[in-house]
Amino acid sequence: MQKPRLLIPAMTVPNGTLVHPAYFLLVGIPGLGPNTHFWLAFPLCCMYALATLGNLAVVLIIRVERHLHEPMYLFLAMLSTTDLVLSSVTMPRMVSLFLTGVQEIEFNACLAQMFLIHALSAMESAVLLAMAFDRFVAICHPLRHASVLTGPTVAKIGLAALTRGFVLFLPLPFILKRLSYCRKHTVTHSFCLHQDIMKLSCTDTTVNVVYGLFIILSVMGVDSLFIGFSYILILRAVLELSSQGAALKAFNTCISHLCAVLVFYVPLIGLSVVHRLSGPTSLLHVIMANIYLLLPPVVNPIVYGAKTKEIRSRVFHIFSQKGS
């Protein structure tokens, strides 16, 4: 890593005076040297290219193919759009950090990245909940599916997911700006997260802790509970089907969504548990955070592309045309 330039020096905080650093320092992956970081940049570039091309392909195929303008695919387009933006917020900065060793990120840029990461994660959670609701209605109440999830209803759900993510997480940069940072200025990840920036403060962080816990429980916590409840009802409805073939066919439509839910929530739960049960930020924290943010944008288009016949056939058709 490049040797960082001098930061604003540590100082005693006068009453009523806020001390903000000019920039924070991103660590990358603790314990790894500059050469290892440099070579890690290349697989990270491949992951970013795969995430960008995969999610862009899903969005464009759903946009072009009018017979895919159904709730399941429209929600998938929302999920891919969210993943596309989320990967663009995190991966290019990580590649730059690993390749050049430049660790500095300007204070306001760090807060902006932090806000986008948390808001987009909340939007992804909401879209996964909407997809679970779509599968619940399609399997448990198939005759009402078309009347319940109409085009305007799907659009309103998407708008609600966007609004909730931005409104609930918009206060985070402002409550971080009300803190003073007169200790070290090193962020222990390759990107900016609320809990990491908060730990760098030398003033009272009670408001940040309480509000951070509130939005995590009210967003990801509530969403995960409703997703789990949806699948309990789906499983009950599937088991009540008289034909085993019909039951397998019905549940098979949920496999891709279940994979997306597991890829998103398992690292999130693991990261939350590690942050609250262990001590100072360790290599395990960093690995779990990287998996949570980097894996879903890469895995989701692969899973949905492999499991969705319409998307898979369209991709094969495009490549066969280029080959001929």
Side-chain angles (χ1 to χ4, degrees):
M1 291 286 179
Q2 211 177 60
K3 187 176 180 179
R5 299 187 300 272
L6 186 64
L7 290 171
I8 292 177
M11 61 186 76
T12 304
V13 184
N15 288 334
T17 303
L18 294 179
V19 180
H20 292 163
Y23 44 79
F24 290 116
L25 296 177
L26 300 173
V27 169
I29 300 178
L32 299 184
N35 290 334
T36 308
H37 275 105
F38 178 81
W39 290 111
L40 280 176
F42 295 99
L44 190 59
C45 280
C46 294
M47 289 177 65
Y48 181 52
L50 190 60
T52 302
L53 293 174
N55 287 296
L56 197 58
V58 170
V59 172
L60 290 178
I61 288 171
I62 293 172
R63 172 71 179 83
V64 171
E65 298 291 337
R66 301 193 66 85
H67 68 280
L68 295 181
H69 292 184
E70 299 175 5
M72 181 174 70
Y73 299 112
L74 294 175
F75 287 135
L76 175 56
M78 294 178 195
L79 182 68
S80 294
T81 303
T82 305
D83 282 338
L84 190 61
V85 180
L86 183 59
S87 61
S88 297
V89 168
T90 54
M91 291 190 189
R93 186 65 187 82
M94 286 184 67
V95 170
S96 173
L97 170 66
F98 288 1
L99 277 178
T100 66
V102 176
Q103 297 175 267
E104 296 94 337
I105 180 170
E106 198 265 334
F107 179 73
N108 287 322
C110 185
L111 295 186
Q113 186 192 51
M114 177 273 306
F115 164 70
L116 287 173
I117 286 174
H118 290 301
L120 289 166
S121 297
M123 288 169 57
E124 181 151 351
S125 178
V127 174
L128 289 173
L129 174 59
M131 296 173 84
F133 178 68
D134 169 69
R135 291 298 83 207
F136 161 72
V137 177
I139 293 173
C140 299
H141 305 282
L143 297 179
R144 298 176 58 191
H145 184 260
S147 60
V148 171
L149 286 168
T150 61
T153 302
V154 171
K156 288 176 184 177
I157 291 173
L159 183 61
L162 178 68
T163 303
R164 187 189 69 162
F166 275 82
V167 168
L168 285 180
F169 287 90
L170 188 60
L172 289 185
F174 297 101
I175 62 176
L176 285 171
K177 276 196 167 188
R178 58 177 282 279
L179 303 176
S180 284
Y181 303 88
C182 47
R183 297 174 183 168
K184 62 180 182 177
H185 303 92
T186 303
V187 178
T188 52
H189 290 88
S190 307
F191 32 76
C192 298
L193 297 175
H194 174 251
Q195 58 266 33
D196 283 335
I197 302 173
M198 179 184 67
K199 289 178 182 177
L200 302 178
S201 172
C202 54
T203 47
D204 183 36
T205 60
T206 302
V207 173
N208 300 71
V209 171
V210 172
Y211 187 72
L213 185 60
F214 163 73
I215 54 178
I216 286 295
L217 292 177
S218 62
V219 175
M220 277 72 165
V222 171
D223 288 353
S224 60
L225 285 176
F226 276 114
I227 290 172
F229 183 63
S230 296
Y231 271 100
I232 290 173
L233 297 178
I234 288 171
L235 188 60
R236 189 180 69 177
V238 167
L239 293 176
E240 289 176 354
L241 292 175
S242 56
S243 168
Q244 186 177 2
L248 289 174
K249 184 178 179 180
F251 197 74
N252 190 52
T253 63
C254 303
I255 297 298
S256 299
H257 179 253
L258 271 175
C259 291
V261 169
L262 292 175
V263 166
F264 180 81
Y265 279 105
V266 170
L268 173 63
I269 294 170
L271 183 62
S272 300
V273 170
V274 167
H275 265 293
R276 281 157 179 78
L277 296 185
S278 61
T281 304
S282 64
L283 180 60
L284 181 60
H285 289 82
V286 177
I287 291 174
M288 292 297 292
N290 285 337
I291 291 173
Y292 165 59
L293 285 179
L294 303 183
L295 197 60
V298 177
V299 172
N300 287 342
I302 295 174
V303 170
Y304 276 98
K307 289 293 295 179
T308 308
K309 181 182 177 182
E310 292 83 356
I311 295 175
R312 187 173 64 247
S313 60
R314 182 66 179 178
V315 170
F316 286 153
H317 178 67
I318 292 172
F319 278 105
S320 63
Q321 278 187 329
K322 289 184 177 180
S324 58

